[in-house]
Amino acid sequence: MCTSVKTVNVAIIGAGPAGLIAAQKISSVFPDVHVFDAMPSPGRKFLLAGRGGLNLTHSEPEDLFLGRYGEQRSWLEPMIRAFGPEDVQRWAADLGIATFVGTSGRVFPVDFKAAPLMRSWLRQLRSQGVVIHTRYRWIGRPSSGDWVFESPEGRVSVRARAVLLAMGGASWPRLGSDGAWVDILSSAGLSVATLRPANCGFERAWSDHFMARWEGEPLKAVALSFEGISRKGEMVVSRSGVEGGLVYAFAAALRDAVERDGQAVPCLDLLPDRGYEQVVRSLSSPRGRQSWSTFLRRTVGLGGVKAALLRECADPSTLSRPDDLARFLKALPVSLSAPRPIAEAISSAGGVVRAELDSSLMLSSWPGVFCAGEMLDWEAPTGGYLLTACLATGVHAASGLVSWLQEHSRCEN
């Protein structure tokens, strides 16, 4: 039994980037916009993601940027062209947050922090009359059409002329994105693609000897290759396998391979700045009485965790000839058995499928209800692509909601 009923003009469920920017856009046109979020304060995941330096977007050429969205590019492209990287920077500037482009092409606030941007954003929303309700967990939509929440005041029923859902995926559930909405929408007959980990680490069973010495050690200046694509960067040896930026860049392809084949076997180039023939020539010098590790260090500069990884992943009996050893140094197979759990992932794939939504991101079977952000069925690598698409879909859904309300207001009059 609901203890109270709230009647509002627009209800937005989810106070992450997509929900907040939708509130900002809608409240500039319509009054009485309310945001409901299960957590004690807005933007929890956004704030934690910004602790290491808030990566807002990326400055690379537009076509390359759009290509980061893979199979869902055609869906997201018109939204990102309408609100893309330059728009993200202008939006931040309007909130008083200056940005700069780093050497990698990524765009950051000049102070690298998320908290000042969030404070300014919330001030802007309050000035536009947006009301944010925290500790409101959405639990369903009964046949009456009301939206029911568990709240500090008990069970609350919310009646709204239009609703925007922006509840995120299922990564970092302790910050609010727990994917609980999936069962609610699925039970109502809506198609939701299974939520899967994205931008995540992968599992590999290391030997006790390797783990005892090298857990947590970074693999710097290496290149990872998989399915015809190669990229240079860094990764980390973890207790469960591997993680880090270079792994995250391949996470979608690695995850799909595990699901298809039972494992993924990328190859690691331990000497990406040297060609194969150059490595063979260096390894062809006499070894003499040098230990294997000393020989590798003196001939090709390989030591530490890289040398240990070579021993861990390659059969020593196959490394006796310079050309065989060079082949493994340039393309060391590293078999991976599974992605890490979705709760550990930076983001998630899957969500409300495109077929359930019209071009304005309104649910076809629920008129007046729109979806945005990570709860839609798309994924992207880290580097500013995630946040940009969340903001872009939030802006697009907000525009659709405003148009829908304006049309219905005319009909009512």
Side-chain angles (χ1 to χ4, degrees):
M1 182 68 66
C2 295
T3 59
S4 62
V5 177
K6 295 181 185 291
T7 300
V8 303
N9 196 26
V10 176
I12 296 172
I13 305 178
L20 293 180
I21 201 164
Q24 183 179 352
K25 298 299 182 180
I26 296 167
S27 62
S28 68
V29 180
F30 283 102
D32 197 28
V33 175
H34 292 247
V35 178
F36 300 87
D37 194 85
M39 301 305 289
S41 58
R44 289 246 168 154
K45 185 176 177 182
F46 174 84
L47 290 168
L48 184 62
R51 284 187 180 178
L54 180 62
N55 185 190
L56 290 170
T57 189
H58 204 289
S59 64
E60 66 191 1
E62 186 176 58
D63 191 61
L64 184 59
F65 186 97
L66 291 167
R68 306 298 186 184
Y69 298 96
E71 295 178 356
Q72 298 297 351
R73 171 177 175 164
S74 64
W75 188 22
L76 295 173
E77 182 168 346
M79 306 180 212
I80 293 172
R81 287 190 184 276
F83 193 88
E86 292 182 358
D87 300 285
V88 172
Q89 293 177 73
R90 282 192 288 269
W91 163 77
D94 289 343
L95 292 175
I97 305 298
T99 59
F100 75 99
V101 179
T103 55
S104 65
R106 298 183 180 196
V107 178
F108 301 90
V110 292
D111 62 1
F112 286 98
K113 297 177 181 179
L117 189 153
M118 180 57 71
R119 287 195 295 268
S120 179
W121 200 358
L122 294 176
R123 282 196 298 270
Q124 178 67 36
L125 291 170
R126 286 194 294 269
S127 73
Q128 293 179 198
V130 174
V131 179
I132 297 178
H133 306 265
T134 57
R135 302 183 191 272
Y136 269 65
R137 178 174 295 278
W138 180 51
I139 59 173
R141 188 189 188 208
S143 57
S144 66
D146 291 351
W147 300 78
V148 183
F149 298 83
E150 292 287 0
S151 78
E153 299 88 43
R155 187 163 290 189
V156 176
S157 180
V158 174
R159 296 173 185 169
R161 296 179 65 208
V163 174
L164 191 146
L165 306 178
M167 290 174 281
S171 62
W172 296 3
R174 63 189 177 86
L175 301 177
S177 297
D178 59 9
W181 55 267
V182 171
D183 288 341
I184 301 175
L185 296 190
S186 297
S187 297
L190 298 172
S191 295
V192 180
T194 302
L195 298 182
R196 300 179 293 163
N199 294 297
C200 58
F202 282 79
E203 296 181 357
R204 177 187 169 87
W206 302 116
S207 67
D208 292 341
H209 174 75
F210 181 81
M211 191 80 292
R213 175 65 181 84
W214 302 108
E215 180 186 358
E217 192 73 17
L219 282 158
K220 298 183 177 181
V222 295
L224 195 67
S225 298
F226 190 65
E227 296 183 341
I229 298 174
S230 182
R231 181 173 297 183
K232 187 176 178 181
E234 296 185 10
M235 52 195 284
V236 177
V237 173
S238 68
R239 173 165 293 277
S240 57
V242 291
E243 58 185 42
L246 189 56
V247 178
Y248 303 155
F250 287 86
L254 294 172
R255 180 200 63 223
D256 292 349
V258 169
E259 292 176 354
R260 181 183 64 245
D261 306 324
Q263 68 171 350
V265 189
C267 288
L268 197 60
D269 186 345
L270 299 173
L271 300 169
D273 296 327
R274 298 190 185 198
Y276 170 79
E277 296 296 338
Q278 180 186 1
V279 174
V280 171
R281 287 195 298 271
S282 297
L283 294 172
S284 297
S285 61
R287 176 177 165 183
R289 295 187 175 182
Q290 298 177 88
S291 67
W292 194 68
S293 58
T294 299
F295 177 70
L296 285 176
R297 186 174 64 254
R298 289 182 175 177
T299 54
V300 294
L302 193 81
V305 66
K306 290 185 179 180
L309 188 67
L310 177 65
R311 288 179 178 271
E312 181 77 6
C313 297
D315 183 348
S317 66
T318 65
L319 305 178
S320 58
R321 292 160 42 109
D323 54 342
D324 291 333
L325 179 54
R327 178 165 52 85
F328 279 106
L329 288 171
K330 293 296 293 178
L332 181 67
V334 182
S335 60
L336 305 173
S337 60
R340 291 296 295 161
I342 195 169
E344 298 178 14
I346 292 175
S347 61
S348 59
V352 179
V353 301
R354 184 177 183 177
E356 291 286 2
L357 301 149
D358 69 9
S359 60
S360 66
L361 296 181
M362 183 176 75
L363 289 167
S364 300
S365 58
W366 285 7
V369 180
F370 297 76
C371 297
E374 201 177 331
M375 68 181 293
L376 300 175
D377 182 21
W378 61 274
E379 64 180 305
T382 57
Y385 312 106
L386 290 165
L387 181 56
T388 299
C390 284
L391 294 171
T393 58
V395 169
H396 188 79
S399 176
L401 186 150
V402 166
S403 296
W404 188 86
L405 268 184
Q406 288 173 333
E407 178 63 28
H408 278 256
S409 296
R410 285 192 291 269
C411 292
E412 291 168 2
N413 294 331

